[in-house]
Amino acid sequence: MGNPLSDIYHKTLAAIPDTVGGLLSGRSLTEASVEKLAVFNPDNGDQVTMIAQSSAADVDEMVHAAKASFDSGIWSGAAMSERQAVLTQAAKLIRENAEELAALDSVTTGLLYHRALKPHVQAAAGWFDYFADALDGIESERLSTLPDTDTVISREPAGVAALFTPWNIPLMGASLKLSAALAMGNSCVIKPSEQSPLGTIKLVQLLYKAGLPEGVLHLANGSGAITGDALASHADVDRVSFTGGENAGRIIAEKAASRFAKATMELGGKSANIIFADADYDRALDGAVIGAFANSGQACLAGSRILIERKIADRFIADFVGRTQSIRIGRPFDAQAEMGPQSSKAQMERVLSFAQLARRDGAEILTGGERHDGFPGGCYVKPTAVLAPSNDISICQEEIFGPFAAILVFDDEEQAISIANDTRFGLAGYVWTGDDQKAQRVAARMRTGYALINTPMLRDRNAPFGGFGHSGIDREGGRWSLDFYSEPKTIMTHHGHAPITSLGKSD
Ligand code: NAD
């Protein structure tokens, strides 16, 4: 491979077993299943391993074990200090195993190794520290609003949490959910994407090493249609936390609703990146490029619709195209690479199909729109910029989830907001301007859960994260996660002697 990361790459590949199963606690269920699924390396199309798919019966066993551990109180009733110690130790172990974790995500998703290492693995560890600390702020609330009555409101663990994660942020997604769910005392079954389960398997093993009691956490390994469906349908699941696409989200949300299980849905986006003529030009250009192409465009927060004020449009578009063409495409373990492959052949084909749709709909492909042929067997697409004639064509309405920027030109603030909001999604919105008041106005009027001013993707752990409309339901992050993974409980104690209305007394 000819670069210093080559050793990590080969060492990681060599250590991956031929078959990986689900985990019942820490025990691998490789024998339990007959169905096998291949996991591929999108860098070259090679098979990395096989998944011994967790069957519905396997999933049932996992949920029952999770419920039994929950009911036993071994974790749900553990002292806060004990839970904090496990989470803090998990964060430490994640950092100590950062290279392996990053490499496992990288060989299955094509995520650039240096990005997987930082920010992804660092962010994963950070979530465990964050929720360990957050427990300090959790206290029962006392009310004395009613006469002679003490009212105490506490948060109880919710029960068994089913956690579904996508392939684009395997470790970060798993860590956000697991750290909060475990902090609040829940037992969990995690279901990573069948494309990229390896980093999450390692994470579960590290959590047990950190001191998590047996039975509290399990990993269901397999496809959405079989393994995921069994988990989403299970009657003993009390919380469903799903991050993924709109279609799977709809199916899973319906199942959760039918048995009154609370669910968060962190779904897709088609976020507008609005650039006004009075913006800091260079920063806005940098922000537009990284916003469209970070993680090979496979980011829920991607600023995939770039809206440019007409006054600067010609210059900005020319510069954007120039920068797009100069992005260094490289293999995931190439330290110089700025963009790697798509995560799978299917994903690559999806992106390319949108180039065809763009042509059909009269959009102008300014650059890209085709496979990169420099990587035999790899799922590489050239970063693509398309000038869209209007916002209603499919490249402006569908989440492509690839390195595909749809560019639109606007004349004034009102039109920019109207285009930005003309979508069924509502995850994020970006605005770039030197006018603070305009920035606040536009950010407030964008129908999105997240609005960022003069910056590309940023995340504050304390802030709620999630979207409006088809981008999802509810929020995770900060106290929103703590609320989601717990049940509020009210205990009222009366100390007075006020008469009680008595029924059925004869005198
Ligand atoms: P996906 O919906 O295909 O899969 C997500 C998870 O759900 C996987 O584990 C999958 O196996 C499982 N699954 C799929 N169908 C299922 C079913 N019928 N029943 C039960 N489980 C099922 O998503 P993906 O392709 O892995 O990820 C890409 C999507 O995730 C994009 O739409 C992206 O925007 C979204 N995403 C959202 C956020 C966010 O925070 N809003 C973050 C990252 C990714």
PDB file of all heavy atoms in Angstrom, residues 305-335:
ATOM      1  N   ARG A 305     -27.821  20.736  -0.626  1.00  0.00           N
ATOM      2  CA  ARG A 305     -28.380  21.733  -1.556  1.00  0.00           C
ATOM      3  C   ARG A 305     -27.674  23.046  -1.262  1.00  0.00           C
ATOM      4  O   ARG A 305     -27.803  23.599  -0.157  1.00  0.00           O
ATOM      5  CB  ARG A 305     -29.881  21.915  -1.325  1.00  0.00           C
ATOM      6  CG  ARG A 305     -30.725  20.794  -1.901  1.00  0.00           C
ATOM      7  CD  ARG A 305     -32.201  21.118  -1.737  1.00  0.00           C
ATOM      8  NE  ARG A 305     -32.573  21.305  -0.346  1.00  0.00           N
ATOM      9  CZ  ARG A 305     -33.564  22.074   0.064  1.00  0.00           C
ATOM     10  NH1 ARG A 305     -34.288  22.767  -0.791  1.00  0.00           N
ATOM     11  NH2 ARG A 305     -33.846  22.173   1.363  1.00  0.00           N
ATOM     12  N   ILE A 306     -26.919  23.535  -2.193  1.00  0.00           N
ATOM     13  CA  ILE A 306     -26.173  24.775  -1.971  1.00  0.00           C
ATOM     14  C   ILE A 306     -26.919  25.905  -2.672  1.00  0.00           C
ATOM     15  O   ILE A 306     -27.082  25.893  -3.893  1.00  0.00           O
ATOM     16  CB  ILE A 306     -24.734  24.634  -2.500  1.00  0.00           C
ATOM     17  CG1 ILE A 306     -24.072  23.438  -1.808  1.00  0.00           C
ATOM     18  CG2 ILE A 306     -23.951  25.922  -2.274  1.00  0.00           C
ATOM     19  CD1 ILE A 306     -22.666  23.157  -2.269  1.00  0.00           C
ATOM     20  N   LEU A 307     -27.398  26.854  -1.885  1.00  0.00           N
ATOM     21  CA  LEU A 307     -28.187  27.970  -2.406  1.00  0.00           C
ATOM     22  C   LEU A 307     -27.288  29.212  -2.408  1.00  0.00           C
ATOM     23  O   LEU A 307     -26.813  29.633  -1.344  1.00  0.00           O
ATOM     24  CB  LEU A 307     -29.409  28.230  -1.513  1.00  0.00           C
ATOM     25  CG  LEU A 307     -30.644  27.335  -1.681  1.00  0.00           C
ATOM     26  CD1 LEU A 307     -30.341  25.848  -1.689  1.00  0.00           C
ATOM     27  CD2 LEU A 307     -31.666  27.665  -0.603  1.00  0.00           C
ATOM     28  N   ILE A 308     -27.075  29.797  -3.586  1.00  0.00           N
ATOM     29  CA  ILE A 308     -26.128  30.908  -3.686  1.00  0.00           C
ATOM     30  C   ILE A 308     -26.843  32.154  -4.190  1.00  0.00           C
ATOM     31  O   ILE A 308     -27.614  32.091  -5.159  1.00  0.00           O
ATOM     32  CB  ILE A 308     -24.980  30.559  -4.662  1.00  0.00           C
ATOM     33  CG1 ILE A 308     -24.357  29.222  -4.255  1.00  0.00           C
ATOM     34  CG2 ILE A 308     -23.925  31.636  -4.677  1.00  0.00           C
ATOM     35  CD1 ILE A 308     -23.408  28.687  -5.287  1.00  0.00           C
ATOM     36  N   GLU A 309     -26.561  33.275  -3.535  1.00  0.00           N
ATOM     37  CA  GLU A 309     -27.185  34.537  -3.961  1.00  0.00           C
ATOM     38  C   GLU A 309     -26.642  34.913  -5.343  1.00  0.00           C
ATOM     39  O   GLU A 309     -25.432  34.817  -5.605  1.00  0.00           O
ATOM     40  CB  GLU A 309     -26.908  35.645  -2.938  1.00  0.00           C
ATOM     41  CG  GLU A 309     -27.713  36.885  -3.231  1.00  0.00           C
ATOM     42  CD  GLU A 309     -27.722  37.879  -2.068  1.00  0.00           C
ATOM     43  OE1 GLU A 309     -27.125  37.596  -0.993  1.00  0.00           O
ATOM     44  OE2 GLU A 309     -28.318  38.958  -2.242  1.00  0.00           O
ATOM     45  N   ARG A 310     -27.545  35.344  -6.211  1.00  0.00           N
ATOM     46  CA  ARG A 310     -27.200  35.551  -7.625  1.00  0.00           C
ATOM     47  C   ARG A 310     -25.980  36.464  -7.813  1.00  0.00           C
ATOM     48  O   ARG A 310     -25.143  36.232  -8.686  1.00  0.00           O
ATOM     49  CB  ARG A 310     -28.401  36.108  -8.397  1.00  0.00           C
ATOM     50  CG  ARG A 310     -28.208  36.044  -9.918  1.00  0.00           C
ATOM     51  CD  ARG A 310     -29.449  36.407 -10.699  1.00  0.00           C
ATOM     52  NE  ARG A 310     -30.622  35.616 -10.384  1.00  0.00           N
ATOM     53  CZ  ARG A 310     -30.868  34.393 -10.880  1.00  0.00           C
ATOM     54  NH1 ARG A 310     -30.005  33.825 -11.711  1.00  0.00           N
ATOM     55  NH2 ARG A 310     -31.955  33.728 -10.530  1.00  0.00           N
ATOM     56  N   LYS A 311     -25.868  37.506  -6.947  1.00  0.00           N
ATOM     57  CA  LYS A 311     -24.773  38.483  -7.119  1.00  0.00           C
ATOM     58  C   LYS A 311     -23.391  37.836  -7.147  1.00  0.00           C
ATOM     59  O   LYS A 311     -22.464  38.340  -7.756  1.00  0.00           O
ATOM     60  CB  LYS A 311     -24.801  39.486  -5.958  1.00  0.00           C
ATOM     61  CG  LYS A 311     -25.874  40.543  -6.088  1.00  0.00           C
ATOM     62  CD  LYS A 311     -25.766  41.496  -4.905  1.00  0.00           C
ATOM     63  CE  LYS A 311     -27.118  41.663  -4.258  1.00  0.00           C
ATOM     64  NZ  LYS A 311     -27.141  42.267  -2.961  1.00  0.00           N
ATOM     65  N   ILE A 312     -23.238  36.728  -6.404  1.00  0.00           N
ATOM     66  CA  ILE A 312     -21.908  36.084  -6.373  1.00  0.00           C
ATOM     67  C   ILE A 312     -21.922  34.709  -7.046  1.00  0.00           C
ATOM     68  O   ILE A 312     -20.935  33.971  -7.002  1.00  0.00           O
ATOM     69  CB  ILE A 312     -21.384  35.930  -4.919  1.00  0.00           C
ATOM     70  CG1 ILE A 312     -22.391  35.137  -4.059  1.00  0.00           C
ATOM     71  CG2 ILE A 312     -21.029  37.267  -4.313  1.00  0.00           C
ATOM     72  CD1 ILE A 312     -21.772  34.593  -2.770  1.00  0.00           C
ATOM     73  N   ALA A 313     -23.040  34.372  -7.664  1.00  0.00           N
ATOM     74  CA  ALA A 313     -23.226  32.977  -8.097  1.00  0.00           C
ATOM     75  C   ALA A 313     -22.165  32.523  -9.102  1.00  0.00           C
ATOM     76  O   ALA A 313     -21.575  31.446  -8.951  1.00  0.00           O
ATOM     77  CB  ALA A 313     -24.622  32.781  -8.662  1.00  0.00           C
ATOM     78  N   ASP A 314     -21.898  33.340 -10.139  1.00  0.00           N
ATOM     79  CA  ASP A 314     -20.973  32.865 -11.181  1.00  0.00           C
ATOM     80  C   ASP A 314     -19.599  32.553 -10.589  1.00  0.00           C
ATOM     81  O   ASP A 314     -19.019  31.483 -10.833  1.00  0.00           O
ATOM     82  CB  ASP A 314     -20.829  33.917 -12.291  1.00  0.00           C
ATOM     83  CG  ASP A 314     -22.093  33.979 -13.152  1.00  0.00           C
ATOM     84  OD1 ASP A 314     -22.940  33.068 -13.007  1.00  0.00           O
ATOM     85  OD2 ASP A 314     -22.245  34.952 -13.910  1.00  0.00           O
ATOM     86  N   ARG A 315     -19.117  33.517  -9.806  1.00  0.00           N
ATOM     87  CA  ARG A 315     -17.774  33.332  -9.230  1.00  0.00           C
ATOM     88  C   ARG A 315     -17.769  32.156  -8.247  1.00  0.00           C
ATOM     89  O   ARG A 315     -16.875  31.312  -8.272  1.00  0.00           O
ATOM     90  CB  ARG A 315     -17.366  34.628  -8.515  1.00  0.00           C
ATOM     91  CG  ARG A 315     -16.030  34.539  -7.850  1.00  0.00           C
ATOM     92  CD  ARG A 315     -15.669  35.851  -7.156  1.00  0.00           C
ATOM     93  NE  ARG A 315     -14.550  35.645  -6.260  1.00  0.00           N
ATOM     94  CZ  ARG A 315     -14.391  36.270  -5.109  1.00  0.00           C
ATOM     95  NH1 ARG A 315     -15.257  37.182  -4.708  1.00  0.00           N
ATOM     96  NH2 ARG A 315     -13.349  36.018  -4.346  1.00  0.00           N
ATOM     97  N   PHE A 316     -18.780  32.104  -7.389  1.00  0.00           N
ATOM     98  CA  PHE A 316     -18.813  31.064  -6.358  1.00  0.00           C
ATOM     99  C   PHE A 316     -18.904  29.681  -6.991  1.00  0.00           C
ATOM    100  O   PHE A 316     -18.193  28.743  -6.596  1.00  0.00           O
ATOM    101  CB  PHE A 316     -19.996  31.297  -5.401  1.00  0.00           C
ATOM    102  CG  PHE A 316     -19.894  30.526  -4.124  1.00  0.00           C
ATOM    103  CD1 PHE A 316     -19.321  31.100  -2.993  1.00  0.00           C
ATOM    104  CD2 PHE A 316     -20.339  29.208  -4.036  1.00  0.00           C
ATOM    105  CE1 PHE A 316     -19.207  30.381  -1.800  1.00  0.00           C
ATOM    106  CE2 PHE A 316     -20.226  28.476  -2.862  1.00  0.00           C
ATOM    107  CZ  PHE A 316     -19.664  29.070  -1.737  1.00  0.00           C
ATOM    108  N   ILE A 317     -19.759  29.550  -7.988  1.00  0.00           N
ATOM    109  CA  ILE A 317     -19.936  28.235  -8.610  1.00  0.00           C
ATOM    110  C   ILE A 317     -18.628  27.800  -9.288  1.00  0.00           C
ATOM    111  O   ILE A 317     -18.196  26.644  -9.155  1.00  0.00           O
ATOM    112  CB  ILE A 317     -21.116  28.258  -9.616  1.00  0.00           C
ATOM    113  CG1 ILE A 317     -22.428  28.423  -8.846  1.00  0.00           C
ATOM    114  CG2 ILE A 317     -21.153  26.976 -10.454  1.00  0.00           C
ATOM    115  CD1 ILE A 317     -23.655  28.713  -9.706  1.00  0.00           C
ATOM    116  N   ALA A 318     -17.977  28.745  -9.967  1.00  0.00           N
ATOM    117  CA  ALA A 318     -16.702  28.396 -10.633  1.00  0.00           C
ATOM    118  C   ALA A 318     -15.676  27.947  -9.589  1.00  0.00           C
ATOM    119  O   ALA A 318     -14.969  26.937  -9.783  1.00  0.00           O
ATOM    120  CB  ALA A 318     -16.187  29.600 -11.421  1.00  0.00           C
ATOM    121  N   ASP A 319     -15.607  28.669  -8.479  1.00  0.00           N
ATOM    122  CA  ASP A 319     -14.636  28.295  -7.435  1.00  0.00           C
ATOM    123  C   ASP A 319     -15.007  26.963  -6.791  1.00  0.00           C
ATOM    124  O   ASP A 319     -14.141  26.134  -6.480  1.00  0.00           O
ATOM    125  CB  ASP A 319     -14.556  29.389  -6.367  1.00  0.00           C
ATOM    126  CG  ASP A 319     -13.851  30.635  -6.892  1.00  0.00           C
ATOM    127  OD1 ASP A 319     -13.125  30.517  -7.913  1.00  0.00           O
ATOM    128  OD2 ASP A 319     -14.034  31.724  -6.310  1.00  0.00           O
ATOM    129  N   PHE A 320     -16.307  26.762  -6.587  1.00  0.00           N
ATOM    130  CA  PHE A 320     -16.760  25.509  -5.974  1.00  0.00           C
ATOM    131  C   PHE A 320     -16.400  24.325  -6.872  1.00  0.00           C
ATOM    132  O   PHE A 320     -15.890  23.301  -6.400  1.00  0.00           O
ATOM    133  CB  PHE A 320     -18.279  25.564  -5.735  1.00  0.00           C
ATOM    134  CG  PHE A 320     -18.819  24.349  -5.033  1.00  0.00           C
ATOM    135  CD1 PHE A 320     -18.792  24.257  -3.646  1.00  0.00           C
ATOM    136  CD2 PHE A 320     -19.337  23.271  -5.749  1.00  0.00           C
ATOM    137  CE1 PHE A 320     -19.278  23.129  -2.991  1.00  0.00           C
ATOM    138  CE2 PHE A 320     -19.821  22.140  -5.102  1.00  0.00           C
ATOM    139  CZ  PHE A 320     -19.799  22.068  -3.721  1.00  0.00           C
ATOM    140  N   VAL A 321     -16.624  24.492  -8.157  1.00  0.00           N
ATOM    141  CA  VAL A 321     -16.314  23.402  -9.100  1.00  0.00           C
ATOM    142  C   VAL A 321     -14.798  23.146  -9.110  1.00  0.00           C
ATOM    143  O   VAL A 321     -14.346  21.990  -9.076  1.00  0.00           O
ATOM    144  CB  VAL A 321     -16.843  23.739 -10.508  1.00  0.00           C
ATOM    145  CG1 VAL A 321     -16.309  22.755 -11.552  1.00  0.00           C
ATOM    146  CG2 VAL A 321     -18.375  23.729 -10.509  1.00  0.00           C
ATOM    147  N   GLY A 322     -14.028  24.220  -9.107  1.00  0.00           N
ATOM    148  CA  GLY A 322     -12.565  24.066  -9.092  1.00  0.00           C
ATOM    149  C   GLY A 322     -12.106  23.292  -7.863  1.00  0.00           C
ATOM    150  O   GLY A 322     -11.291  22.357  -7.954  1.00  0.00           O
ATOM    151  N   ARG A 323     -12.662  23.641  -6.730  1.00  0.00           N
ATOM    152  CA  ARG A 323     -12.278  22.958  -5.488  1.00  0.00           C
ATOM    153  C   ARG A 323     -12.747  21.502  -5.507  1.00  0.00           C
ATOM    154  O   ARG A 323     -12.046  20.602  -5.025  1.00  0.00           O
ATOM    155  CB  ARG A 323     -12.880  23.703  -4.286  1.00  0.00           C
ATOM    156  CG  ARG A 323     -12.248  25.082  -4.058  1.00  0.00           C
ATOM    157  CD  ARG A 323     -10.913  24.959  -3.358  1.00  0.00           C
ATOM    158  NE  ARG A 323     -11.098  24.408  -2.034  1.00  0.00           N
ATOM    159  CZ  ARG A 323     -11.457  25.115  -0.969  1.00  0.00           C
ATOM    160  NH1 ARG A 323     -11.631  26.425  -1.078  1.00  0.00           N
ATOM    161  NH2 ARG A 323     -11.620  24.540   0.200  1.00  0.00           N
ATOM    162  N   THR A 324     -13.926  21.281  -6.045  1.00  0.00           N
ATOM    163  CA  THR A 324     -14.461  19.913  -6.114  1.00  0.00           C
ATOM    164  C   THR A 324     -13.537  19.033  -6.949  1.00  0.00           C
ATOM    165  O   THR A 324     -13.234  17.883  -6.587  1.00  0.00           O
ATOM    166  CB  THR A 324     -15.881  19.942  -6.733  1.00  0.00           C
ATOM    167  OG1 THR A 324     -16.701  20.770  -5.918  1.00  0.00           O
ATOM    168  CG2 THR A 324     -16.500  18.561  -6.837  1.00  0.00           C
ATOM    169  N   GLN A 325     -13.063  19.594  -8.053  1.00  0.00           N
ATOM    170  CA  GLN A 325     -12.188  18.812  -8.935  1.00  0.00           C
ATOM    171  C   GLN A 325     -10.810  18.555  -8.306  1.00  0.00           C
ATOM    172  O   GLN A 325     -10.102  17.640  -8.709  1.00  0.00           O
ATOM    173  CB  GLN A 325     -12.025  19.533 -10.277  1.00  0.00           C
ATOM    174  CG  GLN A 325     -13.310  19.488 -11.091  1.00  0.00           C
ATOM    175  CD  GLN A 325     -13.316  20.441 -12.271  1.00  0.00           C
ATOM    176  OE1 GLN A 325     -12.563  21.429 -12.284  1.00  0.00           O
ATOM    177  NE2 GLN A 325     -14.172  20.174 -13.251  1.00  0.00           N
ATOM    178  N   SER A 326     -10.453  19.398  -7.337  1.00  0.00           N
ATOM    179  CA  SER A 326      -9.118  19.240  -6.726  1.00  0.00           C
ATOM    180  C   SER A 326      -9.120  18.359  -5.482  1.00  0.00           C
ATOM    181  O   SER A 326      -8.063  18.148  -4.881  1.00  0.00           O
ATOM    182  CB  SER A 326      -8.568  20.609  -6.309  1.00  0.00           C
ATOM    183  OG  SER A 326      -8.635  21.487  -7.379  1.00  0.00           O
ATOM    184  N   ILE A 327     -10.290  17.913  -5.056  1.00  0.00           N
ATOM    185  CA  ILE A 327     -10.331  17.073  -3.839  1.00  0.00           C
ATOM    186  C   ILE A 327      -9.490  15.823  -4.093  1.00  0.00           C
ATOM    187  O   ILE A 327      -9.622  15.171  -5.133  1.00  0.00           O
ATOM    188  CB  ILE A 327     -11.796  16.690  -3.502  1.00  0.00           C
ATOM    189  CG1 ILE A 327     -12.545  17.932  -3.005  1.00  0.00           C
ATOM    190  CG2 ILE A 327     -11.846  15.581  -2.452  1.00  0.00           C
ATOM    191  CD1 ILE A 327     -14.036  17.720  -2.806  1.00  0.00           C
ATOM    192  N   ARG A 328      -8.626  15.515  -3.138  1.00  0.00           N
ATOM    193  CA  ARG A 328      -7.759  14.335  -3.304  1.00  0.00           C
ATOM    194  C   ARG A 328      -8.537  13.063  -2.953  1.00  0.00           C
ATOM    195  O   ARG A 328      -8.879  12.823  -1.790  1.00  0.00           O
ATOM    196  CB  ARG A 328      -6.529  14.448  -2.393  1.00  0.00           C
ATOM    197  CG  ARG A 328      -5.493  15.431  -2.895  1.00  0.00           C
ATOM    198  CD  ARG A 328      -4.176  15.288  -2.132  1.00  0.00           C
ATOM    199  NE  ARG A 328      -4.329  15.568  -0.715  1.00  0.00           N
ATOM    200  CZ  ARG A 328      -4.336  16.788  -0.186  1.00  0.00           C
ATOM    201  NH1 ARG A 328      -4.200  17.870  -0.965  1.00  0.00           N
ATOM    202  NH2 ARG A 328      -4.448  16.954   1.110  1.00  0.00           N
ATOM    203  N   ILE A 329      -8.841  12.312  -3.981  1.00  0.00           N
ATOM    204  CA  ILE A 329      -9.543  11.048  -3.766  1.00  0.00           C
ATOM    205  C   ILE A 329      -8.490  10.003  -3.441  1.00  0.00           C
ATOM    206  O   ILE A 329      -7.461   9.930  -4.119  1.00  0.00           O
ATOM    207  CB  ILE A 329     -10.288  10.585  -5.052  1.00  0.00           C
ATOM    208  CG1 ILE A 329     -11.068  11.745  -5.677  1.00  0.00           C
ATOM    209  CG2 ILE A 329     -11.191   9.387  -4.766  1.00  0.00           C
ATOM    210  CD1 ILE A 329     -12.181  12.262  -4.850  1.00  0.00           C
ATOM    211  N   GLY A 330      -8.738   9.231  -2.427  1.00  0.00           N
ATOM    212  CA  GLY A 330      -7.724   8.233  -2.076  1.00  0.00           C
ATOM    213  C   GLY A 330      -8.316   7.101  -1.281  1.00  0.00           C
ATOM    214  O   GLY A 330      -9.483   7.134  -0.866  1.00  0.00           O
ATOM    215  N   ARG A 331      -7.486   6.122  -1.052  1.00  0.00           N
ATOM    216  CA  ARG A 331      -7.932   4.927  -0.340  1.00  0.00           C
ATOM    217  C   ARG A 331      -8.050   5.246   1.146  1.00  0.00           C
ATOM    218  O   ARG A 331      -7.384   6.151   1.661  1.00  0.00           O
ATOM    219  CB  ARG A 331      -6.941   3.795  -0.599  1.00  0.00           C
ATOM    220  CG  ARG A 331      -6.804   3.529  -2.095  1.00  0.00           C
ATOM    221  CD  ARG A 331      -5.899   2.391  -2.382  1.00  0.00           C
ATOM    222  NE  ARG A 331      -6.457   1.165  -1.858  1.00  0.00           N
ATOM    223  CZ  ARG A 331      -5.801   0.006  -1.839  1.00  0.00           C
ATOM    224  NH1 ARG A 331      -4.564  -0.051  -2.297  1.00  0.00           N
ATOM    225  NH2 ARG A 331      -6.362  -1.072  -1.360  1.00  0.00           N
ATOM    226  N   PRO A 332      -8.900   4.498   1.851  1.00  0.00           N
ATOM    227  CA  PRO A 332      -9.197   4.847   3.245  1.00  0.00           C
ATOM    228  C   PRO A 332      -7.969   4.924   4.157  1.00  0.00           C
ATOM    229  O   PRO A 332      -7.967   5.694   5.117  1.00  0.00           O
ATOM    230  CB  PRO A 332     -10.152   3.734   3.695  1.00  0.00           C
ATOM    231  CG  PRO A 332     -10.818   3.297   2.429  1.00  0.00           C
ATOM    232  CD  PRO A 332      -9.784   3.423   1.348  1.00  0.00           C
ATOM    233  N   PHE A 333      -6.933   4.159   3.834  1.00  0.00           N
ATOM    234  CA  PHE A 333      -5.760   4.186   4.714  1.00  0.00           C
ATOM    235  C   PHE A 333      -4.638   5.061   4.137  1.00  0.00           C
ATOM    236  O   PHE A 333      -3.506   4.990   4.579  1.00  0.00           O
ATOM    237  CB  PHE A 333      -5.282   2.755   4.996  1.00  0.00           C
ATOM    238  CG  PHE A 333      -6.175   2.045   5.973  1.00  0.00           C
ATOM    239  CD1 PHE A 333      -7.388   1.510   5.565  1.00  0.00           C
ATOM    240  CD2 PHE A 333      -5.830   1.955   7.316  1.00  0.00           C
ATOM    241  CE1 PHE A 333      -8.236   0.877   6.466  1.00  0.00           C
ATOM    242  CE2 PHE A 333      -6.670   1.337   8.230  1.00  0.00           C
ATOM    243  CZ  PHE A 333      -7.879   0.792   7.803  1.00  0.00           C
ATOM    244  N   ASP A 334      -4.983   5.898   3.184  1.00  0.00           N
ATOM    245  CA  ASP A 334      -4.020   6.858   2.638  1.00  0.00           C
ATOM    246  C   ASP A 334      -4.145   8.145   3.462  1.00  0.00           C
ATOM    247  O   ASP A 334      -5.191   8.802   3.451  1.00  0.00           O
ATOM    248  CB  ASP A 334      -4.370   7.095   1.161  1.00  0.00           C
ATOM    249  CG  ASP A 334      -3.530   8.187   0.525  1.00  0.00           C
ATOM    250  OD1 ASP A 334      -2.777   8.864   1.252  1.00  0.00           O
ATOM    251  OD2 ASP A 334      -3.656   8.366  -0.703  1.00  0.00           O
ATOM    252  N   ALA A 335      -3.092   8.478   4.170  1.00  0.00           N
ATOM    253  CA  ALA A 335      -3.150   9.633   5.082  1.00  0.00           C
ATOM    254  C   ALA A 335      -3.385  10.943   4.337  1.00  0.00           C
ATOM    255  O   ALA A 335      -3.802  11.937   4.930  1.00  0.00           O
ATOM    256  CB  ALA A 335      -1.868   9.702   5.901  1.00  0.00           C
TER     257      ALA A 335
END
